[in-house]
Amino acid sequence: MTQTLQLPIIDLASSDRISTALSIRQACMECGFFYLTNHGVEGDLLHEVLEGNRIFFALPLEEKMKLALKENRGYTPLYAENHDPSSSSKGDSKESFYIGRFEDTTHGYLNQWPAEEILPCWRSTMEDYYKRVLNAGKRLISLVAMALNLEENFFYDTGASNQPNGFLRLLHYPGDLGPFGENTYGASAHSDFGMITLLASDGVGGLQVCREKTKEPRIWENVHYVPGAFIVNIGDLLERWTNCLFRSTLHRVMPTGQTRYSMAFFMDPNPDCVVECLKTCCSESNPPRFPPIRSGDYLEERFKLTHRS
């Protein structure tokens, strides 16, 4: 029987920032996942975004395909992604909608939106949510810096969170896909690519974590829903930055027979930021494990590996 993972709860509004940073450090070293409360996104807005999520994915496929993925923005249908290349599944049983930075138009990267007459106020709701979660992510990144014994503005000063590459991903896991096979996943086993992820959901289960990704057999633990809290996890780039001090943990979504809706916000570094081992995370006896890499190049390559063209 799958056990339930007891995650620490981090209060973003706590006045004791040093204690909060220490709690984040412990959570990121031990598991790479934690709950985040008092993040500044009101319950009413979360409810409104979840309802917008449901309404969008209820549209006819033909209507959704008008917004098919371009430049990492827009709609991906069922089975279009497979996060685990070693899996023999036909793809992940979920559909997604990606929303990127609003001001990122220098390369023609424009978000796609449903027509206002089809989904009135949908765009403004999603833009409002994006801005609120981005603000929470920036506040959290300052605490992450402190957790790494760095100045709290470190990631801003180095260009990582100065115009960060935030992506909001709406997700729908249908509950009526027929019998579940051995290789049926809502989202197959993976670690997130970037810096940190802030996840909100409707409370339906299915999210599981494997704390020891290099060991076999893998041991999976359920992550329970905490009303109003984000589930935060560390991504691969932050693991590289910290020389594996902070853990980018494997996770997946298993089908439960119930429809699941969620919103994942990927707080990734500015694409031009170079990610290299932090001085507080290496020494003569613990040299850097990864070479420096441009954030945008790393993320683009990882994205291509998991999305079918």
Side-chain angles (χ1 to χ4, degrees):
M1 183 176 178
T2 305
Q3 300 295 313
T4 296
L5 180 60
Q6 301 298 321
L7 296 178
I9 297 176
I10 303 298
D11 182 356
L12 191 57
S14 171
S15 59
D16 189 347
R17 291 171 59 79
I18 294 176
S19 177
T20 302
L22 289 173
S23 296
I24 290 173
R25 182 182 178 89
Q26 182 176 359
C28 293
M29 290 174 61
E30 292 181 353
C31 181
F33 270 75
F34 56 87
Y35 297 110
L36 187 71
T37 61
N38 293 320
H39 41 64
V41 182
E42 297 87 351
D44 288 347
L45 180 57
L46 280 168
H47 176 78
E48 193 175 349
V49 174
L50 276 168
E51 186 60 28
N53 195 339
R54 294 187 183 95
I55 292 171
F56 173 79
F57 288 116
L59 292 173
L61 180 60
E62 179 183 1
E63 197 65 40
K64 291 180 286 191
M65 288 305 295
K66 292 178 182 178
L67 305 170
L69 194 72
K70 296 176 184 176
E71 302 294 352
N72 301 346
R73 289 158 168 78
Y75 173 74
T76 58
L78 287 171
Y79 313 119
E81 305 170 12
N82 186 354
H83 281 297
D84 183 2
S86 67
S87 169
S88 59
S89 73
K90 61 181 177 180
D92 293 347
S93 54
K94 67 176 183 297
E95 48 183 349
S96 308
F97 189 82
Y98 291 82
I99 300 168
R101 278 168 48 192
F102 308 141
E103 71 277 13
D104 190 7
T105 60
T106 53
H107 299 91
Y109 296 166
L110 296 174
N111 285 314
Q112 304 188 74
W113 302 102
E116 188 71 15
E117 59 267 23
I118 295 176
L119 295 181
C121 302
W122 195 87
R123 174 176 178 172
S124 61
T125 297
M126 297 303 162
E127 288 183 335
D128 187 18
Y129 182 76
Y130 181 106
K131 292 172 184 175
R132 300 289 186 92
V133 184
L134 176 63
N135 182 59
K138 288 180 176 179
R139 292 163 60 200
L140 178 58
I141 286 297
S142 294
L143 289 165
V144 169
M146 293 173 63
L148 292 164
N149 299 318
L150 301 166
E151 294 294 327
E152 62 180 281
N153 292 328
F154 174 84
F155 289 109
Y156 185 88
D157 292 342
T158 56
S161 57
N162 181 4
Q163 292 188 324
N165 195 29
F167 269 92
L168 172 61
R169 186 182 185 190
L170 309 180
L171 292 153
H172 169 223
Y173 302 88
D176 53 354
L177 292 173
F180 302 138
E182 184 177 344
N183 294 313
T184 301
Y185 303 100
S188 48
H190 66 285
S191 55
D192 288 349
F193 311 153
M195 198 170 182
I196 58 171
T197 304
L198 298 92
L199 178 75
S201 80
D202 61 358
V204 173
L207 178 62
Q208 296 182 337
V209 164
C210 173
R211 286 186 276 176
E212 300 293 342
K213 59 186 175 185
T214 60
K215 292 185 178 180
E216 294 289 345
R218 291 173 177 170
I219 298 174
W220 293 96
E221 298 171 279
N222 293 319
V223 177
H224 278 185
Y225 169 74
V226 173
F230 287 136
I231 297 172
V232 176
N233 65 279
I234 298 305
D236 295 339
L237 282 179
L238 192 53
E239 184 177 73
R240 290 175 70 107
W241 246 318
T242 64
N243 213 24
C244 297
L245 176 69
F246 285 5
R247 303 167 65 177
S248 178
T249 309
L250 275 182
H251 52 286
R252 66 184 184 182
V253 177
M254 297 299 290
T256 63
Q258 293 180 277
T259 298
R260 172 184 167 95
Y261 295 93
S262 62
M263 297 88 67
F265 188 89
F266 301 97
M267 181 83 174
D268 297 334
N270 185 294
D272 290 324
C273 174
V274 175
V275 176
E276 56 186 325
C277 184
L278 299 168
K279 292 181 179 180
T280 58
C281 297
C282 62
S283 63
E284 286 188 13
S285 60
N286 182 33
R289 304 185 189 191
F290 308 101
I293 192 168
R294 181 178 175 272
S295 168
D297 294 338
Y298 179 85
L299 293 171
E300 187 65 27
E301 184 61 28
R302 288 293 304 274
F303 192 89
K304 288 177 180 177
L305 289 173
T306 57
H307 291 69
R308 294 171 179 168
S309 55

